[in-house]
Coordinates of all heavy atoms in Angstrom, one line a residue:
S1431 N -31.3 -53.8 -10.5 CA -30.1 -54.1 -9.7 C -29.6 -52.8 -9.1 O -30.0 -51.7 -9.6 CB -29.1 -54.8 -10.5 OG -28.5 -53.9 -11.4
R1432 N -28.7 -52.9 -8.2 CA -28.1 -51.7 -7.6 C -27.4 -50.8 -8.6 O -27.5 -49.6 -8.6 CB -27.2 -52.1 -6.4 CG -26.6 -51.0 -5.6 CD -27.6 -50.5 -4.6 NE -27.1 -49.4 -3.9 CZ -27.8 -48.4 -3.5 NH1 -29.1 -48.4 -3.7 NH2 -27.3 -47.4 -2.8
C1433 N -26.7 -51.4 -9.5 CA -25.9 -50.7 -10.5 C -26.9 -49.9 -11.4 O -26.6 -48.7 -11.7 CB -25.1 -51.7 -11.4 SG -24.1 -50.8 -12.6
K1434 N -28.0 -50.5 -11.8 CA -29.0 -49.8 -12.6 C -29.6 -48.6 -11.9 O -29.8 -47.5 -12.4 CB -30.0 -50.7 -13.1 CG -29.6 -51.7 -14.1 CD -30.7 -52.6 -14.6 CE -30.3 -53.6 -15.6 NZ -31.4 -54.5 -16.1
L1435 N -29.8 -48.8 -10.6 CA -30.4 -47.7 -9.8 C -29.4 -46.5 -9.6 O -29.8 -45.4 -9.8 CB -30.8 -48.2 -8.4 CG -31.3 -47.1 -7.4 CD1 -32.6 -46.5 -8.0 CD2 -31.6 -47.7 -6.0
S1436 N -28.1 -46.8 -9.4 CA -27.2 -45.7 -9.3 C -27.0 -45.0 -10.6 O -26.8 -43.8 -10.6 CB -25.8 -46.3 -8.7 OG -25.2 -47.2 -9.6
A1437 N -27.0 -45.7 -11.7 CA -26.9 -45.1 -13.0 C -28.1 -44.2 -13.3 O -28.0 -43.1 -13.8 CB -26.7 -46.2 -14.1
A1438 N -29.3 -44.7 -12.9 CA -30.5 -43.9 -13.1 C -30.5 -42.7 -12.3 O -30.9 -41.6 -12.7 CB -31.7 -44.8 -12.8
R1439 N -30.1 -42.8 -11.0 CA -30.0 -41.7 -10.1 C -29.0 -40.6 -10.6 O -29.3 -39.4 -10.5 CB -29.6 -42.1 -8.7 CG -29.8 -41.1 -7.6 CD -31.3 -40.7 -7.4 NE -31.9 -41.7 -6.6 CZ -33.0 -42.3 -6.9 NH1 -33.6 -42.0 -8.0 NH2 -33.5 -43.3 -6.2
A1440 N -27.9 -41.1 -11.1 CA -26.9 -40.1 -11.6 C -27.5 -39.4 -12.8 O -27.3 -38.2 -13.0 CB -25.6 -40.9 -12.0
R1441 N -28.2 -40.1 -13.7 CA -28.8 -39.5 -14.9 C -29.9 -38.5 -14.4 O -30.0 -37.4 -15.0 CB -29.4 -40.6 -15.8 CG -30.0 -40.1 -17.1 CD -30.4 -41.2 -18.0 NE -31.2 -42.2 -17.4 CZ -30.7 -43.5 -17.2 NH1 -29.5 -43.8 -17.5 NH2 -31.5 -44.4 -16.6
Q1442 N -30.7 -38.9 -13.4 CA -31.7 -38.0 -12.9 C -31.1 -36.7 -12.4 O -31.6 -35.6 -12.6 CB -32.6 -38.7 -11.9 CG -33.4 -39.8 -12.5 CD -34.0 -40.7 -11.5 OE1 -33.4 -40.9 -10.4 NE2 -35.1 -41.4 -11.8
L1443 N -30.0 -36.9 -11.6 CA -29.3 -35.7 -11.1 C -28.7 -34.8 -12.2 O -28.8 -33.6 -12.1 CB -28.2 -36.1 -10.1 CG -27.5 -35.0 -9.4 CD1 -28.4 -34.1 -8.6 CD2 -26.4 -35.7 -8.4
A1444 N -28.2 -35.4 -13.2 CA -27.6 -34.7 -14.3 C -28.7 -33.9 -15.0 O -28.5 -32.7 -15.4 CB -26.9 -35.6 -15.3
M1445 N -29.9 -34.5 -15.2 CA -31.0 -33.8 -15.8 C -31.5 -32.7 -15.0 O -31.7 -31.6 -15.5 CB -32.2 -34.8 -16.0 CG -32.0 -35.9 -17.0 SD -33.4 -37.0 -17.0 CE -33.0 -38.1 -18.3
Y1446 N -31.6 -32.9 -13.7 CA -32.0 -31.8 -12.7 C -31.0 -30.6 -12.8 O -31.4 -29.5 -12.9 CB -32.0 -32.4 -11.3 CG -32.3 -31.4 -10.2 CD1 -33.6 -31.0 -9.9 CD2 -31.2 -30.9 -9.5 CE1 -33.8 -30.1 -8.9 CE2 -31.4 -29.9 -8.5 CZ -32.7 -29.5 -8.2 OH -32.9 -28.6 -7.2
L1447 N -29.7 -30.9 -12.7 CA -28.7 -29.9 -12.8 C -28.7 -29.1 -14.1 O -28.6 -27.9 -14.1 CB -27.3 -30.4 -12.5 CG -27.1 -30.9 -11.0 CD1 -25.8 -31.7 -10.9 CD2 -27.2 -29.8 -10.0
A1448 N -28.9 -29.8 -15.2 CA -29.0 -29.2 -16.5 C -30.2 -28.2 -16.5 O -30.1 -27.1 -17.1 CB -29.1 -30.2 -17.6
H1449 N -31.3 -28.6 -15.9 CA -32.5 -27.7 -15.9 C -32.3 -26.6 -14.9 O -32.6 -25.4 -15.3 CB -33.7 -28.6 -15.5 CG -35.0 -27.8 -15.5 ND1 -35.5 -27.2 -16.7 CD2 -35.9 -27.6 -14.5 CE1 -36.6 -26.6 -16.3 NE2 -36.9 -26.8 -15.1
V1450 N -31.9 -26.9 -13.7 CA -31.9 -25.9 -12.6 C -30.7 -24.9 -12.8 O -30.9 -23.7 -12.7 CB -31.9 -26.5 -11.2 CG1 -31.7 -25.5 -10.1 CG2 -33.2 -27.3 -11.0
V1451 N -29.5 -25.4 -13.0 CA -28.4 -24.6 -13.0 C -28.1 -24.0 -14.4 O -27.8 -22.8 -14.6 CB -27.1 -25.4 -12.6 CG1 -25.9 -24.5 -12.7 CG2 -27.3 -25.9 -11.2
H1452 N -28.3 -24.8 -15.4 CA -28.0 -24.4 -16.8 C -29.2 -23.7 -17.5 O -29.0 -23.1 -18.5 CB -27.4 -25.5 -17.6 CG -26.6 -25.1 -18.8 ND1 -27.1 -25.0 -20.1 CD2 -25.3 -24.6 -18.9 CE1 -26.2 -24.6 -20.9 NE2 -25.1 -24.3 -20.2
G1453 N -30.4 -24.0 -17.0 CA -31.6 -23.4 -17.5 C -32.1 -24.0 -18.8 O -32.9 -23.4 -19.5
E1454 N -31.7 -25.2 -19.1 CA -32.1 -26.0 -20.3 C -33.6 -26.3 -20.1 O -34.1 -26.6 -19.0 CB -31.3 -27.2 -20.5 CG -29.9 -27.0 -20.9 CD -29.7 -26.3 -22.3 OE1 -30.6 -26.5 -23.1 OE2 -28.7 -25.7 -22.5
T1455 N -34.3 -26.4 -21.2 CA -35.7 -26.8 -21.2 C -35.8 -28.3 -21.0 O -34.8 -29.0 -21.3 CB -36.4 -26.4 -22.5 OG1 -35.8 -27.2 -23.6 CG2 -36.3 -24.9 -22.8
L1456 N -36.9 -28.7 -20.5 CA -37.1 -30.2 -20.3 C -37.1 -30.9 -21.6 O -36.5 -32.0 -21.7 CB -38.5 -30.4 -19.7 CG -38.7 -29.8 -18.3 CD1 -40.1 -30.1 -17.8 CD2 -37.7 -30.2 -17.3
T1457 N -37.6 -30.3 -22.7 CA -37.5 -30.9 -24.0 C -36.1 -31.1 -24.5 O -35.7 -32.1 -25.0 CB -38.3 -30.1 -25.0 OG1 -39.7 -30.0 -24.6 CG2 -38.3 -30.7 -26.4
A1458 N -35.3 -30.0 -24.3 CA -33.9 -30.1 -24.8 C -33.1 -31.1 -24.0 O -32.3 -31.9 -24.5 CB -33.2 -28.7 -24.6
I1459 N -33.3 -31.2 -22.7 CA -32.7 -32.2 -21.8 C -33.1 -33.6 -22.2 O -32.3 -34.5 -22.4 CB -33.0 -31.9 -20.3 CG1 -32.4 -30.6 -19.9 CG2 -32.4 -33.1 -19.5 CD1 -32.9 -30.1 -18.6
G1460 N -34.4 -33.8 -22.5 CA -34.9 -35.1 -22.9 C -34.2 -35.5 -24.2 O -33.8 -36.7 -24.3
Q1461 N -34.1 -34.6 -25.2 CA -33.4 -34.9 -26.4 C -31.9 -35.3 -26.2 O -31.5 -36.3 -26.8 CB -33.5 -33.8 -27.4 CG -34.9 -33.5 -27.9 CD -35.0 -32.3 -28.7 OE1 -34.2 -31.4 -28.7 NE2 -36.2 -32.1 -29.4
A1462 N -31.3 -34.6 -25.3 CA -29.9 -34.9 -25.0 C -29.7 -36.3 -24.4 O -28.7 -36.9 -24.6 CB -29.3 -33.8 -24.1
F1463 N -30.6 -36.6 -23.5 CA -30.5 -37.9 -22.8 C -31.3 -39.0 -23.5 O -31.5 -40.1 -22.9 CB -31.0 -37.8 -21.4 CG -30.0 -37.1 -20.5 CD1 -30.0 -35.7 -20.3 CD2 -29.1 -37.8 -19.8 CE1 -29.1 -35.1 -19.5 CE2 -28.2 -37.2 -18.9 CZ -28.1 -35.8 -18.8
Q1464 N -31.9 -38.7 -24.6 CA -32.8 -39.6 -25.4 C -33.9 -40.1 -24.5 O -34.2 -41.3 -24.4 CB -32.0 -40.8 -25.9 CG -30.9 -40.3 -26.9 CD -30.1 -41.5 -27.5 OE1 -30.1 -42.6 -27.0 NE2 -29.4 -41.2 -28.6
R1465 N -34.6 -39.2 -23.8 CA -35.7 -39.5 -23.0 C -36.8 -38.5 -23.3 O -36.6 -37.4 -23.9 CB -35.4 -39.3 -21.5 CG -34.2 -40.2 -20.9 CD -34.7 -41.6 -20.9 NE -33.9 -42.5 -20.1 CZ -32.8 -43.1 -20.6 NH1 -32.4 -42.9 -21.8 NH2 -32.1 -44.0 -19.9
D1466 N -38.0 -38.8 -22.9 CA -39.2 -37.9 -23.1 C -39.1 -36.7 -22.1 O -38.5 -36.9 -21.0 CB -40.5 -38.7 -22.9 CG -41.7 -37.9 -23.2 OD1 -42.0 -37.8 -24.4 OD2 -42.3 -37.3 -22.3
R1467 N -39.7 -35.6 -22.4 CA -39.6 -34.5 -21.5 C -40.3 -34.8 -20.2 O -40.0 -34.2 -19.1 CB -40.2 -33.2 -22.1 CG -41.6 -33.3 -22.4 CD -42.2 -32.0 -22.9 NE -43.6 -32.1 -23.2 CZ -44.6 -32.1 -22.2 NH1 -44.2 -32.0 -21.0 NH2 -45.8 -32.3 -22.5
T1468 N -41.3 -35.7 -20.2 CA -42.0 -36.0 -19.0 C -41.1 -36.8 -18.1 O -41.3 -36.7 -16.8 CB -43.3 -36.8 -19.3 OG1 -43.0 -38.0 -20.0 CG2 -44.3 -36.0 -20.1
T1469 N -40.2 -37.6 -18.6 CA -39.2 -38.3 -17.8 C -38.3 -37.3 -17.1 O -37.9 -37.5 -16.0 CB -38.4 -39.3 -18.7 OG1 -39.4 -40.2 -19.3 CG2 -37.4 -40.1 -17.9
V1470 N -37.9 -36.3 -17.9 CA -37.1 -35.3 -17.3 C -37.8 -34.5 -16.2 O -37.2 -34.3 -15.1 CB -36.6 -34.3 -18.4 CG1 -35.7 -33.2 -17.8 CG2 -35.9 -35.0 -19.5
S1471 N -39.1 -34.3 -16.4 CA -39.9 -33.6 -15.4 C -39.9 -34.5 -14.1 O -39.8 -34.0 -13.0 CB -41.3 -33.3 -15.9 OG -42.1 -32.8 -14.9
Y1472 N -40.2 -35.8 -14.3 CA -40.2 -36.7 -13.2 C -38.8 -36.7 -12.4 O -38.8 -36.6 -11.2 CB -40.5 -38.1 -13.7 CG -40.3 -39.2 -12.6 CD1 -41.3 -39.4 -11.6 CD2 -39.2 -39.9 -12.5 CE1 -41.2 -40.3 -10.6 CE2 -39.0 -40.9 -11.5 CZ -40.0 -41.0 -10.6 OH -39.8 -42.0 -9.6
A1473 N -37.7 -36.7 -13.2 CA -36.4 -36.7 -12.6 C -36.2 -35.5 -11.7 O -35.7 -35.5 -10.6 CB -35.3 -36.8 -13.7
C1474 N -36.6 -34.3 -12.3 CA -36.4 -33.1 -11.5 C -37.2 -33.1 -10.3 O -36.7 -32.6 -9.2 CB -36.8 -31.9 -12.4 SG -35.6 -31.6 -13.8
A1475 N -38.5 -33.5 -10.3 CA -39.3 -33.6 -9.2 C -38.8 -34.5 -8.1 O -38.8 -34.2 -6.9 CB -40.7 -34.0 -9.5
L1476 N -38.2 -35.7 -8.6 CA -37.7 -36.7 -7.7 C -36.5 -36.1 -6.9 O -36.4 -36.2 -5.7 CB -37.3 -37.9 -8.5 CG -36.6 -39.0 -7.6 CD1 -37.7 -39.7 -6.7 CD2 -36.0 -40.1 -8.5
I1477 N -35.5 -35.5 -7.7 CA -34.4 -34.9 -7.0 C -34.8 -33.8 -6.1 O -34.2 -33.7 -5.0 CB -33.4 -34.4 -8.1 CG1 -32.8 -35.5 -8.9 CG2 -32.2 -33.6 -7.4 CD1 -32.0 -36.6 -8.2
E1478 N -35.7 -33.0 -6.5 CA -36.2 -31.9 -5.6 C -36.7 -32.5 -4.3 O -36.5 -31.9 -3.2 CB -37.3 -31.1 -6.3 CG -37.6 -29.8 -5.7 CD -36.4 -28.8 -5.6 OE1 -35.8 -28.6 -6.7 OE2 -36.2 -28.2 -4.6
D1479 N -37.5 -33.5 -4.4 CA -38.0 -34.2 -3.2 C -36.9 -34.8 -2.3 O -36.9 -34.7 -1.1 CB -39.0 -35.3 -3.5 CG -40.3 -34.8 -4.0 OD1 -40.6 -33.6 -3.8 OD2 -41.1 -35.6 -4.6
M1480 N -35.9 -35.3 -3.0 CA -34.7 -35.9 -2.2 C -33.9 -34.8 -1.5 O -33.2 -35.1 -0.5 CB -33.8 -36.6 -3.2 CG -34.4 -37.9 -3.7 SD -33.4 -38.7 -5.0 CE -32.0 -39.3 -3.9
R1481 N -34.1 -33.6 -1.9 CA -33.3 -32.5 -1.3 C -33.9 -32.2 0.1 O -33.3 -31.3 0.8 CB -33.4 -31.2 -2.2 CG -32.5 -31.4 -3.4 CD -32.3 -30.2 -4.2 NE -31.2 -29.4 -3.5 CZ -30.6 -28.4 -4.0 NH1 -31.0 -28.0 -5.2 NH2 -29.7 -27.7 -3.4
D1482 N -35.0 -32.8 0.5 CA -35.5 -32.7 1.9 C -34.5 -33.3 2.9 O -34.4 -32.9 4.0 CB -36.8 -33.4 2.0 CG -37.9 -32.6 1.3 OD1 -37.8 -31.4 1.0 OD2 -39.0 -33.2 1.1
D1483 N -33.6 -34.2 2.4 CA -32.5 -34.8 3.2 C -31.4 -33.7 3.2 O -30.8 -33.4 2.2 CB -32.1 -36.1 2.6 CG -30.9 -36.7 3.3 OD1 -30.2 -36.0 4.1 OD2 -30.5 -37.8 3.0
P1484 N -31.1 -33.2 4.4 CA -30.1 -32.1 4.5 C -28.7 -32.5 3.9 O -28.0 -31.7 3.3 CB -30.0 -31.9 6.0 CG -31.3 -32.3 6.6 CD -31.7 -33.5 5.7
R1485 N -28.3 -33.8 4.1 CA -27.0 -34.2 3.6 C -27.0 -34.2 2.1 O -26.1 -33.7 1.4 CB -26.6 -35.6 4.1 CG -25.1 -35.8 4.1 CD -24.7 -37.0 4.9 NE -24.3 -38.0 3.9 CZ -24.5 -39.3 4.0 NH1 -25.1 -39.8 5.1 NH2 -24.1 -40.1 3.1
F1486 N -28.1 -34.8 1.5 CA -28.2 -34.8 0.0 C -28.3 -33.4 -0.5 O -27.6 -33.0 -1.5 CB -29.4 -35.6 -0.4 CG -29.6 -35.7 -1.9 CD1 -28.7 -36.6 -2.6 CD2 -30.5 -35.0 -2.6 CE1 -28.9 -36.7 -4.0 CE2 -30.7 -35.1 -3.9 CZ -29.8 -36.0 -4.6
D1487 N -29.0 -32.5 0.1 CA -29.2 -31.1 -0.3 C -27.8 -30.4 -0.3 O -27.5 -29.6 -1.2 CB -30.2 -30.4 0.6 CG -30.4 -29.0 0.2 OD1 -30.8 -28.8 -1.0 OD2 -30.1 -28.0 1.0
E1488 N -27.0 -30.7 0.7 CA -25.7 -30.1 0.8 C -24.8 -30.5 -0.4 O -24.1 -29.7 -1.0 CB -25.0 -30.5 2.1 CG -23.7 -29.8 2.4 CD -23.2 -30.1 3.8 OE1 -24.0 -30.2 4.7 OE2 -22.0 -30.4 3.9
E1489 N -24.9 -31.8 -0.7 CA -24.1 -32.3 -1.8 C -24.6 -31.7 -3.2 O -23.7 -31.3 -4.0 CB -24.2 -33.8 -1.9 CG -23.5 -34.5 -0.7 CD -23.8 -36.0 -0.7 OE1 -24.4 -36.6 -1.6 OE2 -23.3 -36.6 0.3
V1490 N -25.9 -31.6 -3.3 CA -26.4 -31.0 -4.6 C -26.0 -29.5 -4.7 O -25.7 -29.0 -5.7 CB -27.9 -31.2 -4.7 CG1 -28.5 -30.5 -5.9 CG2 -28.2 -32.7 -4.8
S1491 N -26.1 -28.8 -3.5 CA -25.8 -27.4 -3.5 C -24.3 -27.2 -3.9 O -23.9 -26.3 -4.6 CB -26.0 -26.8 -2.1 OG -27.4 -26.8 -1.9
A1492 N -23.4 -28.1 -3.4 CA -22.0 -28.0 -3.8 C -21.8 -28.3 -5.3 O -21.0 -27.6 -5.9 CB -21.2 -29.1 -3.0
L1493 N -22.5 -29.2 -5.8 CA -22.5 -29.5 -7.3 C -23.0 -28.3 -8.1 O -22.4 -27.9 -9.1 CB -23.3 -30.7 -7.7 CG -22.7 -32.1 -7.3 CD1 -23.7 -33.2 -7.6 CD2 -21.4 -32.3 -8.1
E1494 N -24.1 -27.7 -7.6 CA -24.6 -26.5 -8.3 C -23.6 -25.4 -8.3 O -23.3 -24.7 -9.3 CB -25.9 -26.0 -7.6 CG -27.1 -26.9 -7.8 CD -28.3 -26.5 -7.0 OE1 -28.1 -25.9 -5.9 OE2 -29.4 -26.8 -7.4
S1495 N -22.9 -25.2 -7.2 CA -21.9 -24.1 -7.1 C -20.7 -24.4 -8.0 O -20.2 -23.5 -8.7 CB -21.4 -24.0 -5.6 OG -22.4 -23.5 -4.8
Q1496 N -20.3 -25.6 -8.1 CA -19.2 -26.0 -9.0 C -19.5 -25.7 -10.4 O -18.7 -25.2 -11.2 CB -18.7 -27.4 -8.7 CG -18.0 -27.7 -7.4 CD -17.8 -29.1 -7.2 OE1 -18.2 -30.0 -7.9 NE2 -17.1 -29.4 -6.1
I1497 N -20.7 -26.1 -10.8 CA -21.2 -25.9 -12.2 C -21.3 -24.5 -12.5 O -20.9 -24.0 -13.6 CB -22.5 -26.7 -12.4 CG1 -22.3 -28.2 -12.3 CG2 -23.1 -26.3 -13.8 CD1 -23.5 -29.0 -12.3
E1498 N -21.9 -23.7 -11.6 CA -22.0 -22.3 -11.8 C -20.7 -21.6 -12.0 O -20.5 -20.7 -12.9 CB -22.8 -21.6 -10.6 CG -24.3 -22.0 -10.7 CD -25.0 -21.6 -9.4 OE1 -24.4 -21.2 -8.4 OE2 -26.2 -21.7 -9.4
K1499 N -19.7 -22.0 -11.2 CA -18.3 -21.5 -11.4 C -17.8 -21.8 -12.8 O -17.1 -21.0 -13.5 CB -17.4 -22.0 -10.3 CG -17.6 -21.4 -9.0 CD -16.6 -21.9 -8.0 CE -16.8 -21.4 -6.6 NZ -15.9 -21.9 -5.6
L1500 N -18.0 -23.1 -13.2 CA -17.5 -23.5 -14.5 C -18.2 -22.7 -15.6 O -17.5 -22.3 -16.6 CB -17.7 -25.0 -14.7 CG -16.8 -25.9 -13.9 CD1 -17.3 -27.4 -14.0 CD2 -15.4 -25.8 -14.4
I1501 N -19.4 -22.5 -15.5 CA -20.2 -21.8 -16.5 C -19.7 -20.3 -16.6 O -19.6 -19.8 -17.7 CB -21.7 -21.9 -16.2 CG1 -22.2 -23.3 -16.5 CG2 -22.5 -20.9 -17.1 CD1 -23.7 -23.5 -16.1
S1502 N -19.4 -19.7 -15.5 CA -19.0 -18.3 -15.4 C -17.6 -18.2 -15.8 O -17.1 -17.0 -15.9 CB -19.4 -17.7 -14.1 OG -18.5 -18.2 -13.1
G1503 N -16.8 -19.3 -15.9 CA -15.4 -19.2 -16.3 C -14.5 -19.0 -15.2 O -13.3 -18.7 -15.4
E1504 N -15.0 -19.1 -13.9 CA -14.1 -19.0 -12.8 C -13.4 -20.3 -12.5 O -13.8 -21.4 -13.0 CB -14.9 -18.6 -11.5 CG -15.6 -17.3 -11.6 CD -16.4 -17.0 -10.4 OE1 -16.2 -17.7 -9.3 OE2 -17.3 -16.1 -10.5
S1505 N -12.3 -20.3 -11.8 CA -11.6 -21.5 -11.4 C -11.4 -21.4 -9.9 O -11.4 -20.4 -9.3 CB -10.3 -21.7 -12.1 OG -9.4 -20.7 -11.7
D1506 N -11.1 -22.6 -9.3 CA -10.8 -22.7 -7.8 C -9.5 -22.0 -7.5 O -9.2 -21.7 -6.4 CB -10.8 -24.1 -7.4 CG -12.2 -24.7 -7.4 OD1 -13.2 -24.0 -7.4 OD2 -12.3 -26.0 -7.4
H1507 N -8.6 -21.8 -8.5 CA -7.3 -21.3 -8.3 C -7.2 -19.8 -8.6 O -6.1 -19.2 -8.4 CB -6.3 -22.1 -9.2 CG -6.2 -23.5 -8.9 ND1 -7.0 -24.4 -9.6 CD2 -5.6 -24.3 -7.9 CE1 -6.8 -25.6 -9.2 NE2 -6.0 -25.6 -8.1
G1508 N -8.2 -19.2 -9.0 CA -8.1 -17.8 -9.5 C -9.0 -16.9 -8.7 O -9.1 -15.9 -8.6

């Protein structure tokens, strides 16, 4: 169903961001999401392929920037 697809896509994006931005290993991400590392690898490859769409790439880039700011301790107000 549509709901299941959107939940799966959100999970795949979260896995991708954890790997790319936070530098977590596929194994660690798999454990956190209760998935196999090969599932995480598939999710990362899928999101990477989806980034060929300029609009999607822009949205993911914005998320990456926000996460990097949070990790580094910066805020939008400071």
Side-chain angles (χ1 to χ4, degrees):
S1431 74
R1432 186 78 181 147
C1433 183
K1434 287 182 182 180
L1435 178 61
S1436 62
R1439 190 69 75 233
R1441 184 172 47 253
Q1442 290 164 337
L1443 181 57
M1445 291 176 177
Y1446 173 84
L1447 292 169
H1449 181 62
V1450 173
V1451 178
H1452 202 260
E1454 291 292 335
T1455 65
L1456 300 180
T1457 301
I1459 296 166
Q1461 290 171 346
F1463 284 88
Q1464 299 180 346
R1465 299 291 193 275
D1466 187 83
R1467 67 174 181 76
T1468 59
T1469 302
V1470 180
S1471 178
Y1472 171 80
C1474 291
L1476 180 70
I1477 296 298
E1478 195 64 44
D1479 287 347
M1480 291 176 68
R1481 291 192 79 168
D1482 289 341
D1483 175 348
R1485 204 169 110 214
F1486 182 76
D1487 182 58
E1488 187 176 317
E1489 292 172 3
V1490 173
S1491 292
L1493 285 171
E1494 289 173 333
S1495 294
Q1496 290 173 357
I1497 293 168
E1498 287 168 353
K1499 284 181 184 179
L1500 288 171
I1501 290 172
S1502 69
E1504 297 177 17
S1505 70
D1506 291 338
H1507 301 97

